[in-house]
Amino acid sequence: MENLTASHIIGALVTLIIIMGIGVYSGKKVENASDFSTGGHRASSLLVAGTIIGTLVGGSSTVGTAQLAYNYGFSAWWFTLGAGLGCLTLGLVFVKPLKLSCCNTIQEMISSEYGQTSGIITTVLSSFGIILNIVAQILAANALLSSMFGLGSVESAFVSILLMSVYVIFGGVLSTGILGIIKLILIYFSVFLGAAIALKLGGGFSGFYNNLNHQQYFNIVSRGAGIDVGDGISVVLGVLSTQTYIQAIISGKNIKEAKKGALLSAAIIPPIGIGSIFVGMYMKINYPYIESSQAFPLFIINNIPPFISGLILATLLIALVGTGAGMALGFSTIIINDIYKKYISKNENIKNELIITRIVILLTLAVSAIFTLGNLKTAILTWGFMSMGLRATVLIIPMIGALFFKNKINSNFAVLSSAFGFLSFLICEIFFDLNINSLFIGVSISALTILFGLNKHHKKL
């Protein structure tokens, strides 16, 4: 156990017990699969925002951002900045057509426009992006639990997926929304208390500025504009093409409430990244030889009173748990609605459907945990950015076509746009060391492919 006292443990346990108790309690309100997946379409703007933030603000926004800031400074802001811009775009442009589509999943929108084949292909391809995001959260959990308890990778992965399961498996969207609101309050308290202490101990902003390389740490594009801006855009497009955030919008009781929830999320998320950046930079100045992924948890353990430190550590754990759980919920909704109910059991009763949904969540989390075991040293945000980019290259262009260009795109080209975007993204990531984000290549090829299908005979595959 790494420098933890009884007060640390008590603070962490109190927080975790409260959160897990709320998760179980919210499950009592779930009577069927509709309640679980979309909250019965009755969520207020606060619950919509809670669902979005509760899933979007996780290990990448806190532990991962501090890790990248430890090495590069303010260029680490691109994840939370992109997340805020993505929510802004979601609220201003996409809420109304999403609500009017009367569909519960992105794949359902695509299938209704281009046919069932397109839905199956996009389901399979986009599932890789969802898994990668869950991997990022489990890697963040490994760093956190290692710092707190000295747990190994296998033990950390087991604990994290257990907590993710409890977080979401009882209450679904209702659970992630209610817990998201509570988690937001705790995250703001944790991140900004940490940032304030880091600035005080580090001699204020001038102390940071005098002790760090200006070009590297105070340059928002220090890794290169093609990479940093590309990462930000990948998050914007990833938010727009992720089932969990679309699900949050759909769960809103009307267009007005859904829009307010998205815009509230856009205002709240970006400042969290700034707070995490100051913590990462302080640790670089004072602890230049630690494992960068442990910058945030070690700062909390070493610089904040034990009981509050335990509360904050539990909050960070809840943050990444909520994101992983929300991703698993979105993935299970896609699998149940677009594959299971269409091709395996078309007339499944409501209670059995709820059971199958929960089983899919558990399997998704377990598979994601296995992926982490050979990738312990990779940057957490690398997985987060890659996850967003992969989902965007598969879904964003066909989804825009389905929502805004109805009956104007040939279905064959819509399917090919997803496949070509996916393949080009992977090829660039695996075989080429580009100075730009692979998202630009993937989305460009996807868009060019679908343009060839404009004004041609529309048909559904």
Side-chain angles (χ1 to χ4, degrees):
M1 196 173 293
E2 304 291 319
N3 303 316
L4 293 189
T5 66
S7 295
H8 284 101
I9 303 300
I10 292 170
L13 286 177
V14 167
T15 307
L16 289 173
I17 289 170
I18 291 172
I19 290 295
M20 293 174 71
I22 293 170
V24 173
Y25 172 77
S26 63
K28 294 180 180 179
K29 298 181 179 181
V30 173
E31 299 177 356
N32 54 54
S34 175
D35 287 345
F36 188 90
S37 297
T38 63
H41 300 282
R42 61 177 184 267
S44 66
S45 60
L46 195 58
L47 274 179
V48 171
T51 303
I52 294 172
I53 297 168
T55 306
L56 192 47
V57 178
S60 297
S61 306
T62 52
V63 178
T65 296
Q67 178 188 21
L68 196 62
Y70 183 91
N71 295 315
Y72 294 100
F74 274 91
S75 71
W77 195 31
W78 282 105
F79 188 89
T80 49
L81 179 60
L85 293 173
C87 291
L88 180 66
T89 308
L90 188 63
L92 295 178
V93 180
F94 284 84
V95 165
K96 186 174 181 179
L98 285 172
K99 293 291 285 183
L100 294 178
S101 73
C102 299
C103 295
N104 288 326
T105 68
I106 297 172
Q107 278 74 13
E108 190 177 343
M109 298 170 207
I110 291 173
S111 294
S112 64
E113 178 68 13
Y114 310 118
Q116 290 189 350
T117 301
S118 61
I120 296 173
I121 291 173
T122 54
T123 296
V124 173
L125 296 181
S126 63
S127 65
F128 291 98
I130 296 174
I131 296 293
L132 292 182
N133 204 351
I134 300 174
V135 167
Q137 308 316 310
I138 297 175
L139 285 174
N142 288 345
L144 187 59
L145 293 170
S146 175
S147 301
M148 292 172 67
F149 305 114
L151 294 183
S153 58
V154 175
E155 295 89 346
S156 296
F158 177 78
V159 171
S160 61
I161 64 172
L162 177 64
L163 291 171
M164 288 176 190
S165 301
V166 173
Y167 189 103
V168 75
I169 206 165
F170 293 102
V173 160
L174 291 175
S175 177
T176 54
I178 294 168
L179 292 178
I181 295 168
I182 296 169
K183 174 179 141 180
L184 171 64
I185 296 169
L186 291 173
I187 284 287
Y188 254 73
F189 170 76
S190 303
V191 168
F192 289 107
L193 176 63
I197 292 174
L199 285 167
K200 181 179 179 180
L201 294 176
F205 186 84
S206 61
F208 282 56
Y209 195 76
N210 292 332
N211 284 283
L212 291 169
N213 180 284
H214 299 169
Q215 182 60 30
Q216 181 174 348
Y217 283 88
F218 296 91
N219 178 5
I220 198 169
V221 291
S222 62
R223 295 181 300 156
I227 294 174
D228 282 322
V229 177
D231 282 347
I233 294 174
S234 75
V235 179
V236 173
L237 298 183
V239 168
L240 299 177
S241 53
T242 296
Q243 173 59 30
T244 309
Y245 314 131
I246 300 301
Q247 209 162 325
I249 296 300
I250 293 168
S251 71
K253 59 185 176 183
N254 54 48
I255 291 173
K256 182 180 178 181
E257 290 297 302
K259 183 175 181 179
K260 285 168 60 180
L263 296 180
L264 184 61
S265 301
I268 287 173
I269 294 172
I272 293 171
I274 295 292
S276 300
I277 286 169
F278 283 124
V279 170
M281 292 167 70
Y282 171 86
M283 292 300 285
K284 181 63 178 181
I285 295 170
N286 294 279
Y287 301 89
Y289 302 112
I290 64 169
E291 176 64 42
S292 60
S293 65
Q294 296 185 354
F296 207 130
L298 287 180
F299 174 86
I300 299 302
I301 293 171
N302 293 331
N303 296 287
I304 292 179
F307 182 81
I308 298 175
S309 174
L311 183 151
I312 293 173
L313 291 169
T315 297
L316 294 177
L317 185 59
I318 291 162
L320 60 91
V321 161
T323 297
M327 288 292 107
L329 172 63
F331 180 70
S332 70
T333 303
I334 293 169
I335 296 298
I336 296 302
N337 281 278
D338 300 313
I339 294 180
Y340 183 79
K341 288 170 68 175
K342 288 182 179 178
Y343 302 102
I344 298 174
S345 181
K346 296 182 179 180
N347 298 310
E348 188 67 85
N349 68 60
I350 292 175
K351 287 190 175 180
N352 284 345
E353 182 184 331
L354 187 55
I355 292 170
I356 297 298
T357 300
R358 287 168 167 161
I359 290 172
V360 171
I361 289 174
L362 286 174
L363 291 175
T364 303
L365 293 173
V367 169
S368 301
I370 293 170
F371 269 94
T372 67
L373 300 182
N375 296 282
L376 299 179
K377 298 298 182 181
T378 54
I380 294 162
L381 274 184
T382 297
W383 292 88
F385 287 130
M386 190 184 302
S387 166
M388 292 289 194
L390 192 57
R391 277 175 273 158
T393 56
V394 172
L395 294 172
I396 190 66
I397 299 299
M399 186 181 82
I400 288 173
L403 290 174
F404 299 102
F405 300 95
K406 289 184 178 296
N407 301 316
K408 292 183 179 179
I409 299 168
N410 183 278
S411 297
N412 292 303
F413 287 91
V415 172
L416 287 173
S417 74
S418 291
F420 289 167
F422 176 84
L423 290 173
S424 58
F425 180 89
L426 282 186
I427 289 170
C428 290
E429 283 290 321
I430 296 171
F431 297 108
F432 298 99
D433 185 17
L434 302 175
N435 290 322
I436 61 171
N437 192 295
S438 301
L439 167 97
F440 290 127
I441 307 297
V443 170
S444 295
I445 289 177
S446 176
L448 286 172
T449 303
I450 215 164
L451 281 174
F452 282 108
L454 281 173
N455 300 318
K456 298 183 185 294
H457 180 64
H458 177 272
K459 65 177 181 177
K460 294 184 180 181
L461 294 175

